[in-house]
Amino acid sequence: GEAVPAAQKSSWASFLKSIASVSGDLSSLTAPPFILSPISLTEFPAYWCERPELFAAIADATTDEDRSVAVLKWFISTLKGQYTSRNEKLGSEKKPLNPVLGELFYGYWPDLNGRGRTNLVVEQVSHHPPITAYYISNASKGLYLQGHNAQKTSFSGGSIIVKQLGHATLTVDLPNGGKEEFLITLPRLRIDGLWYGSPYIELTENSFIQSSTGWLSTIEYKGKGYFSGKSHTFKAVLSPPGSNNAKRTFEGLWHLTSKDLKSGHTFTDVQGPKEEVNVAVVEEMDDWESRKLWQHVAKGIRDGDFETASREKSKIENEQRQRRKDELAAGTKWELKHFEHIESDPTYERLGRFFKANPPTEDTYIYRHNGPYDEVPVVAAA
Ligand code: 0T9
């Protein structure tokens, strides 16, 4: 591996071997320092809204078809951030910090140019296996995205295959007082470049966006082939209610640009800057907020002081182990703060039926509307 520092070559080799033998959950494997990221997985849901104006634009569409197109456009435009931003920021894909149970991440994108303010609430709802739940809302536009993420990993042909578990649902308040819902499923990932110590993600197979109006987007992902094809290629087909025929087709590279094949016009273009989420300064954060919780570990990783990083990480992990022991002894269990777990998501079942979602049912985490941005305004006493 060319990107692997000389002193870490053998630990990288044994890490790759353990990846090949441990299937399911890689989060708790110890990786060599050069591949560690100082960012926790609880920060990742912010990728959904780094182009807040595209999210807000969903509310401005006036027909069912246009709303499905706007949702697809926003979704495709998030992929670059979701799947390539660590390469841009950290040099390659890196191993994120493995969130603790109850870890929180709060942020927002301000109201600019009439797009409304967008808020983000994230909670780590399971540690083993890692599951992250999130809620992203732009109340002034009537847009509410609720979702959760988990992964099942395996090793094949020198790459890590990541099956994403979980899904997202987007609820849109309509001008007529009704609601439209979208079920968003997540693509499969392949992590390539492991041998060279410079991992990167390619998306594979399909994902779907099903609207309650019946419009369905089927997105197909392809990477660089042996003979042809470019990295990060997609083709999305939008079909009307009750039909499998494409009404619209969009094609291109999700990390650069794509086209609406009907008009020949640009569909997505993510070459311009994106807006990272705004968060409080660490000093003002709650102890459970990700950047405060991990601050010493993250500093150690950033400074190349891996002794401090690993000592601080052990502190957090020991504290967690003790908590679990105490709960067991007291016969109590950890209570989720912002989400309620339900065994089967009615929206997933209902909308998933349209495209034969597999599995036919999934659990979900319902937001309790008790985040830091949900404070009910105090009504002045009469
Ligand atoms: C949801 C996203 C997800 C989370 C990450 C697979 C992965 C953990 C999950 C799926 C987001 O919306 C999108 C992007 C990146 C995904 C991560 C990439 C990655 O490598 C990790 C896994 C758990 C590893 O850390 C594998 C070991 C590592 C050394 C390879 C770089």
Side-chain angles (χ1 to χ4, degrees):
E2 296 149 33
V4 185
Q8 296 175 39
K9 285 219 152 63
S10 73
S11 84
W12 182 241
S14 54
F15 178 70
L16 292 183
K17 270 189 208 148
S18 55
I19 287 182
S21 59
V22 176
S23 83
D25 175 12
L26 301 178
S27 56
S28 46
L29 291 182
T30 307
F34 83 92
I35 206 73
L36 301 179
S37 157
I39 300 160
S40 159
L41 267 185
T42 54
E43 296 206 21
F44 285 41
Y47 293 131
W48 285 111
C49 212
E50 292 183 324
R51 296 178 191 273
E53 68 291 348
L54 292 183
F55 189 56
I58 295 167
D60 302 331
T62 51
T63 65
D64 293 352
E65 175 178 347
D66 284 351
R67 220 170 291 110
S68 277
V69 172
V71 171
L72 178 65
K73 182 173 176 159
W74 155 74
F75 173 84
I76 298 292
S77 302
T78 72
L79 299 177
K80 180 187 182 194
Q82 307 257 19
Y83 302 111
T84 73
S85 60
R86 277 83 51 200
N87 298 69
E88 289 183 359
K89 236 180 148 166
L90 309 169
S92 80
E93 190 61 53
K94 301 235 167 167
K95 189 173 190 294
L97 295 170
N98 187 23
V100 305
L101 180 60
E103 186 173 322
L104 303 169
F105 187 72
Y106 302 132
Y108 69 93
W109 292 265
D111 179 5
L112 295 174
N113 312 317
R115 71 185 186 195
R117 175 181 159 122
T118 306
N119 294 325
L120 166 70
V121 175
V122 184
E123 180 171 359
Q124 189 69 15
V125 292
S126 169
H127 174 67
H128 193 83
I131 306 175
T132 310
Y134 55 89
Y135 189 74
I136 299 176
S137 54
N138 180 337
S140 66
K141 295 281 174 183
L143 300 167
Y144 310 92
L145 180 74
Q146 178 175 272
H148 71 281
N149 279 101
Q151 299 84 38
K152 198 174 159 78
T153 54
S154 57
F155 197 73
S156 168
S159 303
I160 300 173
I161 310 296
V162 182
K163 182 181 180 193
Q164 293 205 70
L165 310 175
H167 60 275
T169 54
L170 172 68
T171 307
V172 182
D173 289 339
L174 301 174
N176 67 7
K179 282 187 198 307
E180 179 172 350
E181 285 183 301
F182 294 84
L183 169 63
I184 301 168
T185 69
L186 306 164
R188 233 169 239 235
L189 281 58
R190 208 180 54 229
I191 306 176
D192 291 328
L194 289 169
W195 180 251
Y196 302 99
S198 47
Y200 62 92
I201 290 175
E202 190 53 273
L203 301 180
T204 67
E205 301 183 37
N206 299 302
S207 76
F208 301 91
I209 305 176
Q210 175 69 58
S211 164
S212 54
T213 62
W215 289 88
L216 170 67
S217 292
T218 303
I219 308 146
E220 189 187 346
Y221 305 91
K222 283 212 168 73
K224 199 160 61 208
Y226 277 108
F227 300 105
S228 67
K230 288 182 177 164
S231 313
H232 307 336
T233 299
F234 80 94
K235 179 179 177 179
V237 165
L238 180 67
S239 48
S243 151
N244 289 321
N245 297 334
K247 170 90 189 287
R248 309 275 293 269
T249 306
F250 308 92
E251 215 169 47
L253 305 175
W254 50 256
H255 66 311
L256 293 169
T257 60
S258 67
K259 271 193 172 144
D260 178 340
L261 294 196
K262 186 167 104 184
S263 64
H265 293 154
T266 299
F267 180 50
T268 56
D269 182 348
V270 289
Q271 298 173 103
K274 56 177 193 168
E275 278 177 57
E276 287 194 13
V277 65
N278 292 277
V279 296
V281 291
V282 169
E283 291 70 33
E284 282 166 20
M285 283 181 179
D286 183 281
D287 288 345
W288 287 92
E289 282 187 72
S290 185
R291 289 194 192 170
K292 178 140 179 206
L293 183 92
W294 291 105
Q295 60 178 322
H296 303 300
V297 178
K299 184 168 191 305
I301 293 173
R302 288 204 168 95
D303 295 350
D305 177 358
F306 298 105
E307 234 176 88
T308 302
S310 104
R311 191 180 58 243
E312 294 293 333
K313 183 165 167 275
S314 298
K315 270 196 211 165
I316 294 172
E317 287 166 352
N318 291 337
E319 201 265 348
Q320 284 291 309
R321 267 191 283 275
Q322 190 57 48
R323 252 174 213 282
R324 301 290 91 83
K325 273 191 198 161
D326 294 348
E327 285 163 6
L328 206 63
T332 58
K333 99 180 208 311
W334 179 262
E335 297 291 341
L336 302 182
K337 185 170 179 162
H338 296 303
F339 294 89
E340 184 194 343
H341 184 221
I342 62 167
E343 280 308 324
S344 103
D345 181 352
T347 308
Y348 181 97
E349 281 186 15
R350 187 164 36 88
L351 298 184
R353 227 170 272 141
F354 283 102
F355 61 95
K356 300 193 176 63
N358 180 23
T361 179
E362 263 196 0
D363 64 347
T364 196
Y365 295 83
I366 310 269
Y367 185 53
R368 293 188 207 268
H369 295 276
N370 61 349
Y373 314 112
D374 292 307
E375 261 94 77
V376 181
V378 179
V379 180

